[in-house]
Amino acid sequence: MAGRQFAIITGASTGIGLELAKCCARENFNLLIAADEPEINAAAVELRALGAEVDAVEADLATVEGVDKLYAALKGRPVDALLANAGRGLGHAFLDQDFARVRHVIDTNITGTLYLIHKVGNDMRRRDAGRILITGSIAGFIPGSFQAVYNASKAFLDSFSFALREELRDSKVTVTCLMPGATESKFFERADLMDTAIGVAKKDDTGEVAKAGFDAMLRGDGDIVTGLKNKIATSAATVTPSGMLARQHRKQAEPGSANR
Ligand SMILES: NC(=O)c1ccc[n+]([C@@H]2O[C@H](COP(=O)([O-])OP(=O)(O)OC[C@H]3O[C@@H](n4cnc5c(N)ncnc54)[C@H](OP(=O)(O)O)[C@@H]3O)[C@@H](O)[C@H]2O)c1
């Protein structure tokens, strides 16, 4: 359809990414969506019902090949918005984790995300137009005992997002970091966190979190911490010693903490 913009959304099969994709579809974007599993095709059907043209790519975005496959599916189309959202967590003590899974978290959340932003970001800079939304997390403010690698990966993304934004200050490319708190999705189950206090706690609504992030991206804001409770938590974290934050995180994420 003429006049529609074009967005890439990663991790759009479910959770926050699917809701971000719905925001884009409702706001006149056509979509290229990606995730690792075949469920991405069901998401495409749902999103087409909102009036968008949707291409779906099944690719492991932890790999260079997976990101190349997604980029090739662009077929040279200019990207108005890149919503780099795909990510995964991993509970339990670091030394007890399977290192292949540790690496997959880092390769998905950091390496794959940055590789895609590098490719699409260069195209945007050449055109001097575009919006980038990175799904970071308030976890990036807190040393995440019993989810150490995940929180560290989000600290990386939160920091990276502001730095990239500053580097692009004189261009018309904007970079926004969406920093949700605990949000209802498959995230906690997939990260083996269902026997933890955070795993069973009431969480934020996925649609509301995504809408706040999408609106912040359209405004070109630097970041958005969703919800008052999370705004207070991040403000407190900036003046709390890291050791104390790590100890508090244990109460939320230590295996068995769901029953204490
Ligand atoms: N839920 C929260 O409390 C919370 C809070 C702050 C930030 N976040 C961040 O929000 C983002 C979305 O998480 P969510 O809560 O919506 O979790 P989710 O329901 O588990 O969704 C994660 C999405 O990312 C995709 N994905 C994961 N690894 C991938 C890979 N290697 N290659 C391609 N796609 C991959 C998944 O697709 P497949 O199923 O096909 O793998 C899925 O579409 C993540 O970056 C997460 O860190 C979540």
Side-chain angles (χ1 to χ4, degrees):
M1 188 197 294
R4 287 186 84 96
Q5 297 192 70
F6 180 57
I8 302 178
I9 306 102
T10 68
S13 60
T14 181
I16 296 170
L18 177 57
E19 295 298 326
L20 285 170
K22 285 183 194 167
C23 291
C24 291
R26 289 187 192 109
E27 291 295 326
N28 231 20
F29 283 82
N30 289 328
L31 315 177
L32 173 59
I33 58 173
D36 197 15
E37 307 284 339
E39 280 74 14
I40 194 67
N41 298 306
V45 172
E46 201 177 334
L47 292 162
R48 282 183 198 119
L50 298 174
E53 284 174 17
V54 184
D55 293 331
V57 172
E58 232 180 283
D60 183 356
L61 299 175
T63 65
V64 167
E65 298 74 29
V67 175
D68 283 342
K69 183 177 174 186
L70 172 57
Y71 188 76
L74 275 178
K75 298 188 186 122
R77 287 173 287 184
V79 178
D80 297 296
L82 168 62
L83 294 85
N85 165 82
R88 51 180 62 240
L90 186 60
H92 293 267
F94 172 66
L95 295 181
D96 296 334
Q97 291 170 341
D98 170 9
F99 195 74
R101 292 188 71 193
V102 168
R103 186 160 178 182
H104 200 231
V105 170
I106 296 169
D107 289 346
T108 301
N109 297 6
I110 299 178
T111 315
T113 301
L114 264 58
Y115 182 40
L116 181 62
I117 292 172
H118 194 264
K119 285 172 107 63
V120 177
N122 265 300
D123 295 341
M124 287 178 170
R125 186 173 61 176
R126 266 190 292 277
R127 291 172 35 238
D128 198 21
R131 304 174 191 280
I132 298 172
L133 181 72
I134 298 173
T135 307
S137 174
I138 69 162
F141 288 76
I142 303 161
S145 27
F146 301 94
Q147 234 221 137
V149 173
Y150 173 76
N151 282 38
S153 77
K154 290 294 163 172
F156 185 112
L157 285 183
D158 293 353
S159 166
F160 171 79
S161 183
F162 279 103
L164 180 63
R165 176 181 175 82
E166 177 58 27
E167 289 175 10
L168 291 168
R169 191 174 68 177
D170 296 330
S171 79
K172 295 201 175 65
V173 180
T174 60
V175 184
T176 302
C177 191
L178 167 60
M179 300 175 182
T183 305
E184 284 300 344
S185 74
K186 294 181 181 162
F187 175 89
F188 294 89
E189 198 181 318
R190 297 180 64 171
D192 292 339
L193 283 164
M194 293 314 287
D195 63 342
T196 67
I198 188 70
V200 297
K202 183 171 168 8
K203 302 184 184 65
D204 296 337
D205 179 79
T206 320
E208 286 174 16
V209 168
K211 180 75 168 72
F214 180 78
D215 289 347
M217 178 188 80
L218 288 191
R219 287 193 302 269
D221 291 351
D223 69 305
I224 171 87
V225 175
T226 53
L228 180 62
K229 171 173 58 69
N230 298 323
K231 286 185 175 70
I232 293 168
T234 50
S235 300
T238 58
V239 294
T240 306
S242 295
M244 198 177 285
L245 291 171
R247 182 157 300 187
Q248 286 168 2
H249 200 271
R250 168 190 285 269
K251 292 183 193 146
Q252 293 294 313
E254 187 169 19
S257 56
N259 303 315
R260 280 179 206 146

